[in-house]
Amino acid sequence: MKSSVFSLVHVMILLFTLPYSTARADESPAAGGAVSQLTVESMEGLSISLLPPAGKFMLIHFWTNQELESDIPVKDAISIYQRFHEKGLESVCVWNGVLTDLLLSFSGSWQIPWPQIDNQNFVWVRPVELWGVDEFPYNLLLNDKGRILATNLKGNEANETIAKFLSVSLDDIPMPEPAKKKPKQAIPAQTLVGGYGMVFSGTINRFVGVNPFERRLGVLQERFEAEGCKMNLRQISMALTEYRTDHQGELPQWLSDLYPTYLQDQSLLLCPTNASADHGYSDMVDPKLRTGYLYEFAPQSRAWKTQQLSEYGDQVPVVRCYSHGRHLNLSYGGEIYFTGQMWENECPVGRTLDDPDAIVRKQLREIAVALAKYKKDHNELPSQLIDLCTDYVKDESLFICPNTKEPLVYRFVSKKEVKQNEYGNYTPVIRVQPVLAGGDVINLAYSGEIYSSEENWEQLFNPQIFNLQTSEDTIPIATFKSSPLEQEKSQPVIAAATSIVSTSSGKTIIQIKEKEQVLALEGHWNMQNGKLTANDDPNFPNSVTHKKICFTPDVKTGEISFRIKVEWGWDGTGLVFGFHSPQDSYFKLSLGAMSNNAMFVDKFECLDPMGTNRARLTELEPFEWKYGEWYHVRMAINSSNRKMECYINDEKIISFETDEKFSGKFGIFSGASKMKLEDIQIVIEE
């Protein structure tokens, strides 16, 4: 549990240890010394270690705005990476004092294949200050123990020094062609090589070439996975707007103050992606109701957040959700947008609540509330705004644009049209333009959400995502909601009868070949011709995330077996067992976790993508997948003696016993890995 709202990098502090003598903040790191083992968050919210995997080396670059303007450092760094990466060299870049948009643009132009770290994204533990880096550009060559082998390597010296530590001959590794600046585009999957470079370049560069509206609104996969949470935040936004109308513009002390007058369903205060999780700030716990969202304007932080309103305007988050890859924010102005931990680094300063766009959003929030009430009473939106008078709107001036003094243009959208058109609930009913720099447009959607876009808003959306449809070759994805009220808001889970191949000697043998035999708990899974792939979304070829899937048969005593090939990834893959429902506990065997190094068993109290409700049941043991190779995996469980055994290529790799009986479904999870499975078979003993 976090102890203070000001501890914005609490996770970072908990994750690092100081096993070696480290450089003090008032002296530069030097060869022969050591650095602390530091785990930080990359630009797009991924947790990475600034030490290389076992047996490898890492070159950490420290760059500033000056390196954005010069081609020499990046050309040299890319050449070194391309020359030595396959021999065991990883790279990371820590940027100091550079805006996120500039980093994304720079990364795309040069197609940088390693993680980018924003030093300013951390409050207490910043790599530059922690390690005492006081000159730029600078670099450190580290081994897997954190020992500094060399510093500030350049030119021929860099190549010779790295080759020496890697025990390779420069004659055997030709110098690659000099890197060239390229158009902004994502790195093709086939050009990525294993290790950090392969994994994180895909994630970082999925935002390269993405316009700022889509990066803020979320790329398609992010929005799809968080759609249930966004539904909650839209309702909370309207409840906050009504509360402020009734209380002279003041926000409530706590989110629970909205219930039941302004928010009739208290389960809306829990993220459906992970309803059992809380935000983790012990001094920000709502005293009346359990909430999974962090309320930024609670009494302890209200003065600070009110001050931020005068610096960032209505961009300041009021509610934040930590249950997604990036944090999802509901702003003071009613927008719902994604950022990293430090939202301040991604929002421009010098904004106020009196800015033209802030005034428009305030007006649209009030109209959204009126439209929602009308729709509830009439099961349809009004044909014209004037129909909202006088039952829902008292003052017709609400329908006049405060900037142009012209009537707002309202487009009636029927419920039938929303269901049938390509853009669903994101279809705008009111558009106000131009009020932002560059002539950008503010939209009020059918759902009541407010978002900004270019004139062509349609390019931000995809019909298969936002009508929650799935293609023929994709498993329907189930979004689970577990709450004290047990109110289901997601699509039903497909759980048809399984295909029984044979029964003999008290055993039932089931081959998993059909989509109907699979429960997709999280993420993109594809099942075709009996072959299952994870993180194989054609819309996001370079993106990998933590995902889980389960198979429909319940097992008390029996086994699962399959062939698996892990193509690449950063936190391994493994097996789920004893799974019943998102509300219940289950067990998970991780294989190749922690940068493809470790094996262990966890117990989870619920379906928890962030891993906050888990207990580690075994010690870490070494395990490593060889990327691109096929393995035969078999796990056997016996509920009566509470025992699990796992075999890989017929060799027992782990035997585990627990104090409690476990039974339920087998499953597979992808720890941000891309993998393929085939010949999936479950044997159930009667």
Side-chain angles (χ1 to χ4, degrees), residues 201-327:
S201 57
T203 301
I204 289 170
N205 282 279
R206 68 188 173 120
F207 289 92
V208 173
V210 173
N211 72 47
F213 300 111
E214 186 168 6
R215 189 166 64 249
R216 184 175 173 87
L217 192 62
V219 293
L220 293 177
Q221 184 174 354
E222 279 186 303
R223 280 177 268 168
F224 175 50
E225 294 173 354
E227 185 61 26
C229 181
K230 295 188 74 175
M231 290 172 62
N232 286 4
L233 293 179
R234 291 173 197 139
Q235 295 298 313
I236 293 172
S237 178
M238 293 184 192
L240 288 169
T241 298
E242 285 196 89
Y243 185 98
R244 288 156 69 175
T245 299
D246 292 346
H247 294 81
Q248 293 76 50
E250 291 295 320
L251 287 166
Q253 292 292 297
W254 298 96
L255 287 180
S256 59
D257 294 338
L258 299 174
Y259 178 80
T261 304
Y262 304 96
L263 200 67
Q264 288 72 47
D265 183 357
Q266 59 181 305
S267 71
L268 292 172
L269 299 177
L270 301 170
C271 175
T273 302
N274 187 15
S276 64
D278 58 26
H279 52 71
Y281 288 96
S282 59
D283 58 350
M284 300 285 284
V285 175
D286 196 300
K288 301 174 187 176
L289 291 177
R290 179 169 170 268
T291 63
Y293 297 119
L294 176 64
Y295 181 51
E296 294 274 81
F297 279 78
Q300 295 90 329
S301 58
R302 181 166 296 232
W304 170 35
K305 291 299 172 181
T306 301
Q307 174 62 33
Q308 286 191 321
L309 291 175
S310 65
E311 300 171 358
Y312 296 93
D314 69 347
Q315 305 170 99
V316 175
V318 175
V319 178
R320 306 194 78 191
C321 182
Y322 289 6
S323 293
H324 312 282
R326 293 194 295 159
H327 299 328

Side-chain angles (χ1 to χ4, degrees), residues 134-410:
D134 57 4
E135 59 179 296
F136 302 91
Y138 198 75
N139 59 48
L140 301 174
L141 180 64
L142 308 177
N143 66 11
D144 58 1
K145 304 300 183 184
R147 188 67 56 188
I148 301 174
L149 305 177
T151 63
N152 219 16
L153 295 171
K154 298 177 183 178
N156 292 333
E157 178 194 9
N159 286 270
E160 293 169 357
T161 301
I162 293 170
K164 180 185 71 173
F165 284 111
L166 290 173
S167 299
V168 297
S169 171
L170 292 177
D171 295 334
D172 298 331
I173 314 175
M175 180 68 76
E177 291 292 322
K180 296 181 180 180
K181 209 169 186 177
K182 300 176 176 64
K184 299 177 182 179
Q185 58 183 12
I187 299 177
Q190 63 267 27
T191 67
L192 301 175
V193 191
Y196 286 123
M198 177 186 71
V199 176
F200 288 100
S201 57
T203 301
I204 289 170
N205 282 279
R206 68 188 173 120
F207 289 92
V208 173
V210 173
N211 72 47
F213 300 111
E214 186 168 6
R215 189 166 64 249
R216 184 175 173 87
L217 192 62
V219 293
L220 293 177
Q221 184 174 354
E222 279 186 303
R223 280 177 268 168
F224 175 50
E225 294 173 354
E227 185 61 26
C229 181
K230 295 188 74 175
M231 290 172 62
N232 286 4
L233 293 179
R234 291 173 197 139
Q235 295 298 313
I236 293 172
S237 178
M238 293 184 192
L240 288 169
T241 298
E242 285 196 89
Y243 185 98
R244 288 156 69 175
T245 299
D246 292 346
H247 294 81
Q248 293 76 50
E250 291 295 320
L251 287 166
Q253 292 292 297
W254 298 96
L255 287 180
S256 59
D257 294 338
L258 299 174
Y259 178 80
T261 304
Y262 304 96
L263 200 67
Q264 288 72 47
D265 183 357
Q266 59 181 305
S267 71
L268 292 172
L269 299 177
L270 301 170
C271 175
T273 302
N274 187 15
S276 64
D278 58 26
H279 52 71
Y281 288 96
S282 59
D283 58 350
M284 300 285 284
V285 175
D286 196 300
K288 301 174 187 176
L289 291 177
R290 179 169 170 268
T291 63
Y293 297 119
L294 176 64
Y295 181 51
E296 294 274 81
F297 279 78
Q300 295 90 329
S301 58
R302 181 166 296 232
W304 170 35
K305 291 299 172 181
T306 301
Q307 174 62 33
Q308 286 191 321
L309 291 175
S310 65
E311 300 171 358
Y312 296 93
D314 69 347
Q315 305 170 99
V316 175
V318 175
V319 178
R320 306 194 78 191
C321 182
Y322 289 6
S323 293
H324 312 282
R326 293 194 295 159
H327 299 328
L328 192 57
N329 310 277
L330 169 62
S331 76
Y332 189 90
E335 290 185 289
I336 299 172
Y337 63 94
F338 285 97
T339 65
Q341 170 76 14
M342 295 293 290
W343 63 267
E344 294 92 337
N345 290 347
E346 301 179 42
C347 294
V349 295
R351 307 290 294 274
T352 75
L353 297 180
D354 295 324
D355 290 342
D357 55 308
I359 294 173
V360 168
R361 280 188 287 270
K362 180 178 183 297
Q363 180 183 28
L364 293 182
R365 289 201 317 271
E366 296 176 10
I367 295 176
V369 170
L371 289 172
K373 290 181 177 180
Y374 186 100
K375 185 163 52 176
K376 181 179 179 182
D377 292 343
H378 298 83
N379 200 34
E380 194 70 273
L381 288 180
S383 59
Q384 52 187 348
L385 286 180
I386 198 67
D387 294 342
L388 296 174
C389 298
T390 59
D391 293 337
Y392 306 96
V393 171
K394 304 301 181 185
D395 187 352
E396 293 183 21
S397 66
L398 188 64
F399 306 143
I400 303 298
C401 176
N403 299 305
T404 65
K405 309 305 179 184
E406 298 290 332
L408 293 173
V409 178
Y410 171 74

Side-chain angles (χ1 to χ4, degrees), residues 412-425:
F412 167 70
V413 180
S414 68
K415 181 183 294 186
K416 181 178 180 180
E417 182 179 351
V418 167
K419 289 183 178 180
Q420 293 179 349
N421 76 6
E422 297 180 342
Y423 309 104
N425 286 330

Side-chain angles (χ1 to χ4, degrees), residues 221 224-226 271-277 322-325 474-482 490 493 518-526 532-537 544-551 576 579 581-582 586 588 604 606-613 667-673 675:
Q221 184 174 354
F224 175 50
E225 294 173 354
C271 175
T273 302
N274 187 15
S276 64
Y322 289 6
S323 293
H324 312 282
T474 303
I475 295 167
I477 296 176
T479 301
F480 291 93
K481 181 177 181 64
S482 58
S490 61
V493 177
V518 179
L519 307 178
L521 304 183
E522 300 172 318
H524 189 279
W525 297 81
N526 185 293
L532 179 67
T533 56
N535 282 314
D536 194 26
D537 189 341
V544 287
T545 51
H546 290 74
K547 302 303 171 192
K548 299 185 185 72
I549 198 169
C550 277
F551 307 113
V576 170
F579 180 89
S581 75
Y586 67 96
K588 189 177 83 172
F604 286 73
C606 65
L607 185 63
D608 180 8
M610 302 301 290
T612 53
N613 295 321
I668 303 294
F669 79 92
S670 160
S673 296
M675 62 184 186

